[in-house]
Amino acid sequence: DGGITQSPKYLFRKEGQNVTLSCEQNLNHDAMYWYRQDPGQGLRLIYYSQIVNDFQKGDIAEGYSVSREKKESFPLTVTSAQKNPTAFYLCASSSPGQARYGYTFGSGTRLTVV
Amino acid sequence: QQQVKQSPQSLIVQKGGISIINCAYENTAFDYFPWYQQFPGKGPALLIAIRPDVSEKKEGRFTISFNKSAKQFSLHIMDSQPGDSATYFCAASSRSGNQFYFGTGTSLTVIP
C-alpha cells in the first residue's frame, strides 16, 4: 500500500537535546511538508520541499531543520533552540501540480519534552 | 495572523442531527477549499473540497456550502453519527501558493 510513514509514533526529548523525526513516502510525490499541530492552533507549516535537495521555511521554522537528500525521505530535526517543542508533528506529501488539490498526511509523531 | 478562521472550536450534536462548522477567509486569491477529518492519534484525511465556481458540493452526508461574496464556507454533516466524532479542519489555497492555510479545527462529538 502506498502511503506516508512517520516514526516514531511517540518521542520523548530531554531539555537541550536534538531529536529527529522520520518521514518516508512511497507515493512518488515530489513535494513534502512538515506541520506542527497544537491544541486550538490548527496546523502550522514548519518546512516544505518541492524537489530533492531544496526546501523552504514555513511560518514557524525557527528551532527546526530539515534535509531532502532522497525523494522518499524528509526528516525533521527539532533542535535545542526550539523552546516549546512539545506538540504533534505531521508530515504530508503531494504529487507534482497537485499540491493545491490536497495532501496525503502521515499518522504523526507526538513529541514530549521531559 | 490566521488566514482562515474557523468556528466553533467544539461542537456536540445528538445522533441524527446536523453538524455545522463555519470558516471565513480574507484572501481573495484563495480558490480551493478542502475539509479534512482527523481522528485521535491519526493524520488528517481529505474529506471533501470545493472550488469557488460552485455554491454547494455534496458527497453522501457531507455538504460544503460556499458564499464567495461573504468569503465564507461551511461544512454540513447530515444525520450525524457517533463515528463522525473527530476534529475537522477547513483549509484554503491559492493557484500561486505553495501551501494550504488551515483553520484552527473543530472538535465534533456526536452523542448516541
Side-chain angles (χ1 to χ4, degrees), chain A residues 58-70:
Chain A
D59 300 321
I60 56 165
E62 185 175 351
Y64 300 97
S65 65
V66 294
S67 62
R68 188 83 187 279
E69 297 176 0
K70 299 187 300 181

Side-chain angles (χ1 to χ4, degrees), chain B residues 2-83:
Chain B
Q2 197 73 29
Q3 296 264 3
V4 179
K5 296 182 179 179
Q6 183 173 347
S7 64
Q9 186 173 1
S10 62
L11 182 61
I12 300 175
V13 173
Q14 292 274 6
K15 178 182 175 180
I18 302 174
S19 303
I20 302 175
I21 304 170
N22 301 299
C23 286
Y25 65 97
E26 287 297 326
N27 188 344
T28 55
F30 288 153
D31 66 349
Y32 183 71
F33 303 90
W35 284 89
Y36 284 83
Q37 180 188 55
Q38 183 183 30
F39 293 105
K42 301 294 184 183
L46 182 62
L47 185 63
I48 186 173
I50 197 167
R51 290 148 80 65
D53 52 347
V54 298
S55 61
E56 185 175 282
K57 183 173 181 180
K58 184 176 180 179
E59 290 184 3
R61 296 184 294 108
F62 300 91
T63 300
I64 300 178
S65 297
F66 187 83
N67 186 330
K68 188 174 182 178
S69 61
K71 290 182 286 187
Q72 296 176 347
F73 58 109
S74 60
L75 176 69
H76 296 235
I77 305 175
M78 313 300 286
D79 186 26
S80 298
Q81 299 296 313

Side-chain angles (χ1 to χ4, degrees), chain A residues 37 50 99-101 103 106-107, chain B residues 31-32 36 38 43 89 98 100:
Chain A
Q37 184 175 9
Q50 295 187 303
R100 52 187 269 93
Y101 298 116
Y103 299 154
S107 293
Chain B
D31 66 349
Y32 183 71
Y36 284 83
Q38 183 183 30
F89 292 96
N98 294 316
F100 282 93

Side-chain angles (χ1 to χ4, degrees), chain A:
Chain A
D1 281 336
I4 298 180
T5 301
Q6 289 189 241
S7 63
K9 191 170 179 66
Y10 300 96
L11 186 58
F12 298 90
R13 192 194 92 166
K14 292 182 180 179
E15 295 279 355
Q17 270 186 340
N18 292 355
V19 291
T20 297
L21 283 59
S22 171
C23 177
E24 303 277 335
Q25 54 99 358
N26 60 4
L27 299 166
N28 198 34
H29 286 173
D30 282 315
M32 297 185 74
Y33 309 80
W34 275 105
Y35 281 87
R36 170 177 172 146
Q37 184 175 9
D38 296 281
Q41 296 196 51
L43 305 177
R44 294 182 291 167
L45 183 64
I46 304 172
Y47 269 97
Y48 66 98
S49 168
Q50 295 187 303
I51 57 173
V52 174
N53 293 323
D54 186 48
F55 48 83
Q56 284 78 41
K57 294 181 179 180
D59 300 321
I60 56 165
E62 185 175 351
Y64 300 97
S65 65
V66 294
S67 62
R68 188 83 187 279
E69 297 176 0
K70 299 187 300 181
K71 186 176 183 178
E72 303 78 18
S73 179
F74 191 40
L76 174 74
T77 296
V78 184
T79 75
S80 57
Q82 171 50 237
K83 297 307 179 188
N84 184 23
T86 295
F88 190 52
Y89 291 87
L90 287 161
C91 180
S93 70
S94 64
S95 58
Q98 294 296 313
R100 52 187 269 93
Y101 298 116
Y103 299 154
T104 300
F105 280 94
S107 293
T109 293
R110 185 164 299 280
L111 173 63
T112 304
V113 175
V114 296

